[in-house]
Amino acid sequence: MNVIWRNCICRLRQGKVPHRCQSGVHPVAPLGSRILTDPAKVFEHNMWDHMQWSKEEEELARKKVEENSATQVAPEEQVKFEIDANKYWDTFYQTHKNKFFKNRNWLLREFPEILPADQNTKEKVKESSWDQVRSNFARMQNTGTHCPKGCVSSDPPSKGRSNYSSVDLEEHRKGPGKTEHFPGSNATFRILEVGCGAGNSVFPILNTLQNIPGSFLYCCDFAPEAVELVKSHASYSEAYCCAFIHDVCDDGSAYPFPDGILDAILLVFVLSSIHPDRMQAVVCRLSRLLKPGGMLLFRDHGRYDNAQLRFKKGRCLSENFYVRGDGTRAYFFTKGEIHHMFCEAGLQEKQNLVDHRLQVNRKKQVAMHRVWVQGKFQKPLPWTLRS
């Protein structure tokens, strides 16, 4: 424990405590503020933030992973886990119902993008951004400076060089026309949660969305039992929500709404359960559902998380991919893997961080390193798609 404490203090002194931040942007607020400064107080709380590992600790974790992945599941068994993936999760929800996972009340704090932005604020930001771009463009004209070929701008163009009229931009903001009727077709702000399970994210979100006119939530899962649990919940209402069975790995399976209409997609502890060879196609398909400017919000297991280190030999499917005793699977990501996968899908990185925490079992007097990866990726706006 002294190693953990010394490592944390060193980073505090050096100003290296990680923050919730967007790429290239100064952080707005720290991801967490409960810092362990006295090792004697480690068991006073259940969780400590910003617990960066020492080189020795990371090396021990790496060796542990090498050990538990030395023996892999037989190929024929791996095929069974892939083909019957939905059956294992369906059995999971038949067994545990909605009692296994806690409600994710932290979602609105970490992902404010799942709520509509204040319109007055949006207008002020838009005006400020456009004024800045006009000013920059004027300077470029005066100095003869040009943007290199292939560069991507994240700001709107000045009126003088825009290829889009104000009507075009408004249409991109709204998404496809409303000639087609579908669940939520009259909404002005739409969210999809992928892998909704028993609704541990759905209902904390719905409790807020139902007070915001024009908002609508879609949620899907490939386990029929999970979708039924959501629909049978007392807070479920078709006026605000549409729950449906869907396998995101099946690219031929249609969604109950057209492409390009979603303002936000929530992908939380879902991608890790999919075979690594299929992850890229899933992210690309989800990207097509977003409207320009829409956000894909991600959180999942990180490399060397305690959950990975606890796997026994013989549970490894492939590198950093494991199967649990109940047949459900889990992959453990790095920040670099997430960056590559989401950018390959045509999305722009706005946030990509590793969340290191120390989880404490005060009853058993045990401390465990937890590692999660969290990211926010945006579908480019029309003016950023320049040749």
Side-chain angles (χ1 to χ4, degrees):
M1 191 57 61
N2 286 335
V3 174
I4 296 174
W5 176 68
R6 287 198 302 271
N7 193 50
C8 182
I9 292 298
C10 179
R11 280 170 170 75
L12 283 169
R13 289 174 177 171
Q14 295 174 355
K16 290 184 179 180
V17 175
H19 287 71
R20 181 196 296 112
C21 61
Q22 296 182 348
S23 301
V25 179
H26 291 294
V28 176
L31 188 66
S33 56
R34 183 170 287 161
I35 308 298
L36 179 63
T37 56
D38 183 354
K41 297 181 178 181
V42 66
F43 295 110
E44 290 187 4
H45 297 286
N46 294 327
M47 191 81 75
W48 297 95
D49 302 308
H50 309 310
M51 296 300 298
Q52 301 298 306
W53 293 9
S54 66
K55 290 183 179 180
E56 293 80 5
E57 289 172 314
E58 188 166 355
E59 179 62 20
L60 286 173
R62 188 186 64 78
K63 288 182 178 179
K64 180 64 177 177
V65 168
E66 282 186 358
E67 291 173 4
N68 70 19
S69 60
T71 303
Q72 296 190 354
V73 176
E76 58 272 17
E77 288 292 302
Q78 295 202 32
V79 171
K80 182 188 70 171
F81 290 126
E82 175 65 20
I83 294 175
D84 295 335
N86 65 326
K87 295 180 181 179
Y88 287 113
W89 278 109
D90 206 49
T91 300
F92 175 90
Y93 287 110
Q94 288 174 7
T95 303
H96 299 287
K97 303 297 180 183
N98 60 355
K99 307 298 183 183
F100 192 84
F101 299 111
K102 295 180 180 179
N103 279 352
R104 293 166 177 163
N105 296 309
W106 51 266
L107 281 174
L108 297 177
R109 181 180 68 250
E110 293 298 334
F111 298 126
E113 295 84 357
I114 60 180
L115 296 179
D118 179 75
Q119 293 300 312
N120 293 328
T121 303
K122 287 173 70 176
E123 290 301 319
K124 290 178 181 178
V125 171
K126 186 191 298 181
E127 291 173 8
S128 173
S129 178
W130 278 53
D131 288 341
Q132 181 64 43
V133 170
R134 281 196 290 269
S135 175
N136 291 342
F137 184 60
R139 285 199 298 270
M140 287 172 65
Q141 286 184 313
N142 292 335
T143 61
T145 304
H146 299 283
C147 187
K149 183 178 180 180
C151 75
V152 176
S153 168
S154 60
D155 295 316
S158 67
K159 292 180 180 178
R161 63 181 176 125
S162 174
N163 292 324
Y164 297 88
S165 67
S166 59
V167 175
D168 292 329
L169 295 175
E170 183 64 16
E171 288 303 312
H172 276 285
R173 186 185 69 80
K174 290 181 178 179
K178 297 183 180 179
T179 56
E180 182 182 354
H181 182 75
F182 54 89
S185 57
N186 293 323
T188 55
F189 187 85
R190 305 180 186 93
I191 308 166
L192 167 66
E193 187 197 4
V194 178
C196 62
N200 300 97
S201 298
V202 170
F203 297 107
I205 296 173
L206 270 185
N207 288 339
T208 300
L209 282 188
Q210 62 187 4
N211 298 317
I212 302 175
S215 300
F216 197 85
L217 173 65
Y218 303 97
C219 57
C220 66
D221 202 290
F222 71 168
E225 181 68 22
V227 174
E228 184 56 36
L229 286 170
V230 171
K231 287 186 172 183
S232 62
H233 195 283
S235 298
Y236 181 79
S237 171
E238 292 184 353
Y240 308 104
C241 184
C242 172
F244 58 100
I245 299 171
H246 187 85
D247 184 354
V248 293
C249 291
D250 183 1
D251 195 41
S253 179
Y255 287 85
F257 51 82
D259 287 357
I261 70 156
L262 297 180
D263 294 274
I265 295 176
L266 199 60
L267 193 62
V268 175
F269 295 104
V270 174
L271 197 62
S272 57
S273 66
I274 296 172
H275 194 285
D277 291 346
R278 308 182 77 175
M279 290 179 183
Q280 184 65 68
V282 168
V283 176
C284 288
R285 180 67 186 99
L286 294 177
S287 175
R288 299 204 301 271
L289 299 176
L290 289 169
K291 65 172 62 171
M295 299 288 291
L296 203 161
L297 309 170
F298 172 87
R299 186 174 175 90
D300 219 317
H301 301 293
R303 188 69 48 84
Y304 303 151
D305 177 43
N306 183 69
Q308 181 179 15
L309 305 186
R310 289 176 60 188
F311 276 105
K312 305 298 183 183
K313 291 182 179 179
R315 306 307 300 176
C316 182
L317 298 168
S318 60
E319 191 173 3
N320 301 302
F321 191 43
Y322 300 81
V323 61
R324 303 182 183 95
D326 60 5
T328 63
R329 301 172 298 177
Y331 186 85
F332 296 85
F333 297 96
T334 65
K335 178 178 170 181
E337 288 173 336
I338 296 306
H339 170 84
H340 175 78
M341 196 182 312
F342 285 73
C343 292
E344 186 71 18
L347 302 174
Q348 295 175 340
E349 181 182 293
K350 297 299 179 182
Q351 180 194 71
N352 189 8
L353 56 83
V354 179
D355 183 5
H356 292 270
R357 303 195 190 193
L358 189 69
Q359 188 174 22
V360 175
N361 186 322
R362 288 186 278 182
K363 183 178 181 180
K364 296 182 178 180
Q365 296 285 287
V366 175
M368 302 161 286
H369 276 292
R370 302 310 311 269
V371 185
W372 297 289
V373 180
Q374 180 169 305
K376 302 178 182 182
F377 297 84
Q378 187 175 44
K379 189 167 186 175
L381 290 161
W383 50 77
T384 66
L385 302 176
R386 299 172 54 204
S387 59

